[in-house]
Amino acid sequence: MSNSPVTAQAKGAVRVSAEQNSAVGEQPSVKRKKAAKGSTVKPVKAPADDAVVAEPTGTSAKRTAKSATKRTAKPAKSAAKPTTESVGKPAAKSAAKPESHLAMVRRARRINRELAEVYPYAHPELDFRNPFELLVATVLSAQTTDLRVNQTTPAVFAKYPTPEDMAAAVPEELEEAIRPTGFFRAKAKSLIGLSTALRDQFGGEVPGRLEDLVSLPGVGRKTANVVLGNAFGVPGLTVDTHFGRLVRRWKWTEQEDPEKVEAEIAAIFPKSEWTMLSHRVIFHGRRICHSRKPACGACPIAHLCPSYGEGETDPEKARKLLKYEMGGYPGQRLSPPADYPGKAAPARVE
């Protein structure tokens, strides 16, 4: 009979079990199975919460155990199965994280060390014999090449060897002398103005302090740092177009303003490295890491560059993009240093 005392007792046990399991937060995904007709049940205590659970016996118990085994084994199998994201992709791709500031600083300093090995002869590419000549040449180098300046300045320095001579120059004559460098009227005005200031305020001598240099007409921080670093041995960062482009390409800074770029890069490197860092970065920008089409496939620091691939990556094609001594061509100086591996530039103005 279905109303036997044993069956009633089993139903009561199931109700007690359900209430207690609910009270202790039993997982809802575990479903209760109805006791098979004619089977017996006996209460057992769960090890975790001492709740009374109805345990079926007989054929029903076997089916229940088999079903439970399938339910528990299935998730384990799917969890062990590799996902498509983890197959065939490098670890760096799957674990891509933003570069920390410390990691960027270490990478930047490593780039500087490797550039020092590539360009041990890096130097200012303007011909000069004294601070005044370097100051004049740097002013003339705006919006033109150092080669064009070097081809122009021998005649200029022969006619105006001192600040006093240039301060007394006839503007039209000076303009004609520097015409090949472009923007000759504005540059002539600056040269006469700074020469007059050197004559009247500094005794005809180029000062060796940044604040004095930037007070001269036509002289900004870039020009001042060139003069300080290469004529006086005072460390300075030369933030020209090449320098600014490369430090942004290398993710050392996101700044566009030259003074902000200078401040952020100065914080990355020790002061003793500033002048030579400028030469190396500018050398690299002129020879390999060009503005429109960098020669990525021939770049010796490509493994450290987060912008690799912006230019030509094929090694053969990239080598054809190399300039100056890196491509087997003359450099920009008419009188290069003794250890310079390239040829001297032609003296003729084209």
Side-chain angles (χ1 to χ4, degrees):
M1 297 288 290
S2 58
N3 292 328
S4 64
V6 175
T7 304
Q9 182 181 358
K11 289 181 178 179
V14 172
R15 285 196 298 272
V16 172
S17 173
E19 292 171 358
Q20 293 188 1
N21 283 341
S22 177
V24 296
E26 185 75 12
Q27 296 297 320
S29 60
V30 180
K31 296 180 180 179
R32 298 192 304 274
K33 288 210 176 260
K34 290 184 179 179
K37 198 171 184 180
S39 63
T40 58
V41 294
K42 58 181 178 179
V44 294
K45 291 184 178 181
D49 54 16
D50 295 328
V52 180
V53 181
E55 181 183 82
T57 58
T59 306
S60 175
K62 290 181 181 180
R63 285 199 300 269
T64 304
K66 189 175 181 180
S67 172
T69 303
K70 286 182 178 179
R71 287 197 304 270
T72 54
K74 212 168 186 179
K77 186 177 179 182
S78 63
K81 187 177 180 181
T83 61
T84 49
E85 287 80 1
S86 63
V87 178
K89 290 189 178 180
K93 290 278 185 181
S94 59
K97 294 181 180 178
E99 185 179 41
S100 67
H101 179 74
L102 178 60
M104 181 275 291
V105 170
R106 288 174 175 170
R107 180 172 57 81
R109 293 183 176 183
R110 185 177 173 188
I111 287 177
N112 182 41
R113 291 194 300 271
E114 296 200 13
L115 288 180
E117 295 177 5
V118 177
Y119 308 110
Y121 49 86
H123 60 275
E125 294 191 85
L126 293 169
D127 286 324
F128 69 97
R129 294 169 297 184
N130 54 58
F132 177 64
E133 289 189 354
L134 178 58
L135 178 60
V136 171
T138 306
V139 171
L140 292 176
S141 69
Q143 305 298 318
T144 190
T145 64
D146 287 358
L147 171 58
R148 183 54 58 91
V149 174
N150 292 337
Q151 292 171 333
T152 305
T153 50
V156 174
F157 295 149
K159 191 171 184 178
Y160 310 104
T162 67
E164 290 82 0
D165 295 321
M166 192 165 284
V170 176
E172 292 77 15
E173 293 180 0
L174 180 57
E175 289 172 6
E176 189 60 30
I178 65 173
R179 179 185 288 270
T181 67
F183 301 94
F184 54 91
R185 291 189 178 88
K187 289 179 180 179
K189 183 178 180 181
S190 294
L191 291 179
I192 292 175
L194 69 85
S195 297
T196 302
L198 291 176
R199 181 194 64 191
D200 297 344
Q201 300 174 27
F202 298 99
E205 299 291 332
V206 176
R209 298 195 313 162
L210 179 67
E211 52 268 37
D212 292 334
L213 284 169
V214 296
S215 71
L216 301 174
V219 178
R221 289 184 66 90
K222 184 198 83 169
T223 299
N225 280 326
V226 169
V227 174
L228 289 174
N230 298 287
F232 294 99
V234 178
L237 288 170
T238 303
V239 184
D240 68 353
T241 55
H242 300 288
F243 190 93
R245 182 181 76 252
L246 265 64
V247 297
R248 284 187 290 273
R249 189 171 277 173
W250 292 335
K251 312 301 182 186
W252 294 359
T253 181
E254 295 180 354
Q255 299 294 338
E256 295 284 344
D257 180 79
E259 289 193 26
K260 292 180 180 178
V261 170
E262 181 184 343
E264 291 199 0
I265 304 306
I268 296 175
F269 296 93
K271 194 172 182 178
S272 59
E273 286 290 311
W274 290 354
T275 300
M276 287 309 301
L277 171 69
S278 300
H279 292 324
R280 293 164 191 153
V281 173
I282 293 171
F283 255 55
H284 192 64
R286 287 173 172 170
R287 286 149 178 78
I288 297 178
C289 197
H290 311 137
S291 176
R292 294 184 179 179
K293 198 170 185 180
C296 295
C299 180
I301 59 165
H303 58 291
L304 297 171
C305 181
S307 300
Y308 174 80
E310 286 188 7
E312 180 58 66
T313 57
D314 180 82
E316 291 300 324
K317 293 180 180 179
R319 273 193 285 273
K320 295 178 181 178
L321 300 173
L322 300 179
K323 294 183 178 180
Y324 302 112
E325 77 280 1
M326 301 300 287
Y329 305 110
Q332 298 201 76
R333 294 195 68 168
L334 272 62
S335 303
D339 61 347
Y340 180 67
K343 301 175 183 178
R348 181 173 60 87
V349 177
E350 298 177 358

